[in-house]
Amino acid sequence: MSTQHSTERLMSTSVLVIGTGGAGLRASIELAQRGVQVLAVGKRRKHDAHTTLAAGGINAALGTMDPEDSWQQHAADTLRESYFLADPAIVETVARNAADGIGDLEKWGMPFAREEDGRISQRFFGAHKYRRTAYAGDYTGLEIQRTLMRRAAELDVQIIDSIYITRLLVTDGTVFGAYGFDIVDGTPVQIHADAVILAAGGHTRIWRHTSSRRDENTGDSFRLAALAGARIRDAELVQFHPSGLLEPDDAAGTLVSEAARGEGGILTNALGERYMERYDPERMELSTRDRVALAGYTEITAGRGTGKGGVYLDVSHLPREVILQKLPRVYRTLIDLQMLDITTTKMEIAPTAHYSMGGVWVAPEDHGTGVDGLYAIGEASSGLHGANRLGGNSLIELLVYGRITGEHAAEYVTSRTTVRRDPSAVGLARTEMQSLLSERGTESARRLQREVRNVMTEHAGVVRTEQGLQEGLRELAALEERAQHVTAHPDIAGFDDLAHAYDLLGSLLAARATLECALERRETRGCHNRADFPQQDPALQGNFVWSPAEGVSFEALAPAPDSFRSLAEADADDSVAGKLVE
Ligand SMILES: Cc1cc2nc3c(=O)[nH]c(=O)nc-3n(C[C@H](O)[C@H](O)[C@H](O)COP(=O)(O)OP(=O)(O)OC[C@H]3O[C@@H](n4cnc5c(N)ncnc54)[C@H](O)[C@@H]3O)c2cc1C
């Protein structure tokens, strides 16, 4: 498959999959099962993709615990929770095909939690009408990744997890491969492919506190797609989780599961007040994710936060055995990162950027991007979650659209009769890399990355205003200018510095898309809080779509089909009694 070409490595495959998390692996499996040659690449160890962090569970209306559940109800709950900004056709596809997604995992040996009689156990997650979240302890993502890795190995899927993709190769609106480099030895890599599936995650690492892994979710998908001619949808819609750790600095934002509140954890400010009384006296700590995040943010900005800029979450009043049994991961994380024993001491937390609901614009049928042969899936894509993600829906999306997109890409490459390649597209990607490696100035990518994160935290965090967003754009423009003077310095340890330079380019582009769309969404809806426009505006029930050349435009949404629209519009049961709020 690979031939040496002076100092550049040339590879070719029928379909290139960028990303080896759950989405990329599921698509690769589908292609291999259909006998199509596939190469999957990633910039991080394949056993340890971001997907492994997912804890709580994966949704499908299996009805194992509540037989009255249905795909229509799952679709309705998803649409309602999205504040009616999700694409109804994508919602329907995921809800209808979810059971098959779980079935595939089961067939490949996924160790789901089960009831005594063998049924897959399903639990409540917030805003679901029925128990429909399947799980494997609090390691659901890790078990999914292991299961998919095992199946991919059985099918001999070729995976290289040390290739950083820097540009997609496109000519006349058709993709013909990608360009990148080997992170270990720096060899430039040119990959020819008839189709490319982008599964490279989201952009949550452009905020200072984030539940993302280090060096992941830096907006690579946004940049790769946008420079290839695709568009970004809902960039401003980012879910902030209420409880991210503040320390240590290099792990700021690491998640404390909502199970900590679900089990009876108490939130207080620096004055010792149980502040949820002010925001949701009935549900208190069990209120919804967006409300608890907004409450914490408000306490901190009003000066009632801790010296380090957080609030307290305390579970120490719970029996030690309950904590060890119900919150083992939280207990271990705090010991590992802070040497703090949550059975005796309260945690300091703040809202953390958790999930990119926006991403690359995709068509509901096949997740095609509008660029021929280019598809996007998983957190890189958009359309399922709108202004708020229903917990457990992103893992099932990986399975459902991984399969569907793999199937479509297989048909696409099989039906192609001619291939066009353009040396100038390769030349552009090559020159860009050479330029980053040549002496351009003394700016450091790592330092600028931190500044991007400060700008986004300051001006596009949990609460936004016109003035703040405008200021954010001004500061971003200055960072874009300084980025022209970044020089990457590879060292004996490898080419991480070049990776950081490209992470920065992705982050700058994602930050611009986010700020520009956030400015246009002059309303408060779901995760997007505008202090200057505190109401929802019915005229804005649609999506903001962004591209570098065209900027922002508004797209209306198709109405949802009768089969689940009325269910979604009906008053739902918002009670959280007995439900795990994840
Ligand atoms: C702490 C935590 C808990 C969560 N819990 C849940 C849950 O309970 N239920 C649920 O449904 N969801 C949950 N989520 C969300 C869910 O885990 C993610 O949305 C999902 O795993 C994303 O999968 P993905 O395959 O799209 O991307 P990822 O798993 O992020 O994989 C991206 C891949 O792209 C590669 N990549 C990126 N850029 C490049 C590049 N330039 N070149 C080459 N490769 C590149 C990366 O190396 C990686 O292999 C949770 C998330 C977090 C952080």
Side-chain angles (χ1 to χ4, degrees):
M1 191 189 255
S2 136
T3 56
Q4 203 67 32
H5 177 260
S6 65
T7 55
E8 194 167 278
R9 196 183 309 153
L10 180 62
M11 309 173 86
S12 68
T13 180
S14 291
V15 181
L16 172 67
V17 176
I18 304 172
T20 59
L25 288 177
R26 182 61 189 88
S28 302
I29 289 168
E30 192 60 29
L31 287 153
Q33 287 182 162
R34 290 169 182 271
V36 173
Q37 184 191 26
V38 53
L39 166 64
V41 299
K43 65 171 183 177
R44 172 188 196 91
R45 246 173 10 93
K46 60 190 177 208
H47 294 282
D48 199 24
H50 182 74
T51 293
T52 59
L53 289 184
I58 175 166
N59 301 335
L62 304 174
T64 59
M65 315 295 282
D66 297 315
E68 55 279 49
D69 199 7
S70 63
W71 76 259
Q72 290 91 338
Q73 188 64 53
H74 182 189
D77 292 352
T78 303
L79 188 65
R80 206 173 69 88
E81 189 68 358
S82 82
Y83 290 76
F84 294 88
L85 290 196
D87 178 334
I90 290 181
V91 171
E92 176 167 351
T93 303
V94 170
R96 266 184 189 277
N97 292 283
D100 285 348
I102 300 280
D104 286 340
L105 287 176
E106 237 188 320
K107 210 164 56 199
W108 301 330
M110 167 90 183
F112 281 114
R114 289 184 187 266
E115 299 297 297
E116 274 177 10
D117 60 7
R119 279 172 300 152
I120 288 182
S121 303
Q122 296 197 278
R123 60 185 173 195
F124 268 127
F125 261 18
H128 288 267
K129 183 154 183 158
Y130 299 113
R131 286 173 290 180
R132 75 166 66 98
T133 304
Y135 57 97
D138 58 358
Y139 288 97
T140 311
L142 180 64
E143 292 295 358
I144 289 177
Q145 185 79 7
R146 282 182 181 153
T147 303
L148 295 176
M149 283 294 300
R150 223 175 18 244
R151 178 66 183 149
E154 278 168 17
L155 293 163
D156 283 331
V157 170
Q158 192 187 5
I159 300 176
I160 309 179
D161 55 6
S162 59
I163 290 185
Y164 193 120
I165 298 297
T166 61
R167 284 259 181 177
L168 298 178
L169 301 175
V170 179
T171 182
D172 281 343
T174 304
V175 74
F176 67 93
Y179 197 82
F181 64 96
D182 186 311
I183 296 171
V184 180
D185 64 13
T187 309
V189 182
Q190 191 186 142
I191 305 172
H192 290 165
D194 295 339
V196 174
I197 299 178
L198 190 53
H203 71 317
T204 48
R205 208 160 169 92
I206 67 173
W207 282 268
R208 202 163 51 220
H209 292 152
T210 167
S211 63
S212 163
R213 288 190 178 289
R214 213 177 163 168
D215 303 332
E216 293 263 52
N217 294 298
T218 43
D220 301 24
S221 300
F222 283 44
R223 179 170 186 267
L224 291 169
L227 298 189
R231 299 174 309 148
I232 309 301
R233 171 168 55 192
D234 296 340
E236 80 281 16
L237 302 179
V238 175
Q239 184 167 60
F240 284 84
H241 191 287
S243 48
L245 293 179
L246 289 170
E247 293 184 309
D249 205 34
D250 65 354
T254 298
L255 215 64
V256 174
S257 166
E258 278 173 286
R261 299 198 328 273
E263 293 301 331
I266 288 173
L267 290 165
T268 52
N269 61 20
L271 308 174
E273 296 167 331
R274 206 169 157 190
Y275 59 81
M276 282 309 295
E277 275 164 9
R278 270 198 277 282
Y279 304 91
D280 193 346
E282 206 175 309
R283 295 186 285 188
M284 297 291 285
E285 282 83 1
L286 294 183
S287 185
T288 56
R289 186 181 279 185
D290 47 352
R291 281 196 196 196
V292 181
L294 180 58
Y297 175 87
T298 308
E299 290 299 305
I300 296 163
T301 48
R304 295 189 289 271
T306 64
K308 291 177 192 150
V311 288
Y312 293 114
L313 172 57
D314 193 4
V315 292
S316 64
H317 55 285
L318 301 174
R320 186 179 162 81
E321 313 77 66
V322 171
I323 294 176
L324 296 183
Q325 196 199 342
K326 298 282 184 62
L327 305 170
R329 205 168 181 169
V330 180
Y331 175 79
R332 222 197 37 244
T333 303
L334 268 291
I335 292 282
D336 285 353
L337 292 178
Q338 298 182 3
M339 278 304 284
L340 184 145
D341 181 352
I342 60 169
T343 66
T344 58
T345 313
K346 54 195 176 188
M347 298 167 259
E348 227 174 312
I349 55 152
T352 180
H354 181 52
Y355 186 87
S356 303
M357 270 123 20
V360 181
W361 181 96
V362 287
E365 319 75 70
D366 58 357
H367 272 209
T369 61
V371 176
D372 279 349
L374 178 63
Y375 305 84
I377 50 173
E379 199 166 334
S381 66
S382 62
L384 178 63
H385 314 289
N388 206 16
R389 175 177 71 98
L390 197 60
N393 259 1
S394 62
L395 289 176
I396 195 60
E397 181 187 22
L398 313 182
L399 273 289
V400 170
Y401 271 108
R403 179 184 65 70
I404 291 174
T405 303
E407 181 183 335
H408 279 272
E411 280 165 16
Y412 173 82
V413 294
T414 317
S415 66
R416 296 202 69 196
T417 50
T418 54
V419 175
R420 271 206 61 207
R421 298 194 185 116
D422 179 1
S424 68
V426 181
L428 190 70
R430 189 183 288 137
T431 313
E432 177 180 79
M433 194 180 298
Q434 284 162 354
S435 157
L436 281 167
L437 287 165
S438 60
E439 210 48 59
R440 307 191 315 160
T442 54
E443 291 287 1
S444 128
R446 271 279 199 227
R447 198 166 49 230
L448 289 182
Q449 180 80 24
R450 172 160 282 254
E451 295 197 26
V452 173
R453 295 172 72 190
N454 286 341
V455 169
M456 295 307 286
T457 304
E458 197 66 30
H459 303 299
V462 178
V463 179
R464 298 141 181 206
T465 62
E466 185 97 9
Q467 203 189 359
L469 293 164
Q470 294 285 13
E471 179 55 27
L473 278 166
R474 265 191 298 278
E475 292 177 18
L476 184 69
L479 295 178
E480 286 166 338
E481 159 57 26
R482 285 173 62 191
Q484 306 285 326
H485 308 290
V486 164
T487 305
H489 294 287
D491 61 18
I492 192 156
F495 276 68
D496 285 351
D497 211 41
L498 184 57
H500 296 152
Y502 277 107
D503 286 353
L504 173 65
L505 297 184
S507 299
L508 287 168
L509 183 137
R512 177 159 289 284
T514 306
L515 289 167
E516 289 186 5
C517 290
L519 202 53
E520 293 302 321
R521 188 165 287 288
R522 291 184 177 84
E523 65 164 351
T524 289
R525 190 188 284 265
C527 65
H528 178 74
N529 297 291
R530 283 285 300 255
D532 43 354
F533 294 96
Q535 303 302 330
Q536 199 164 300
D537 179 354
L540 293 181
Q541 196 199 316
N543 307 107
F544 286 105
V545 179
W546 180 92
S547 73
E550 310 282 326
V552 184
S553 57
F554 184 75
E555 271 186 7
L557 272 158
D562 291 344
S563 57
F564 60 89
R565 192 184 59 232
S566 44
L567 277 176
E569 283 166 355
D571 274 345
D573 163 26
D574 271 339
S575 95
V576 287
K579 299 182 182 181
L580 176 67
V581 195
E582 187 65 81

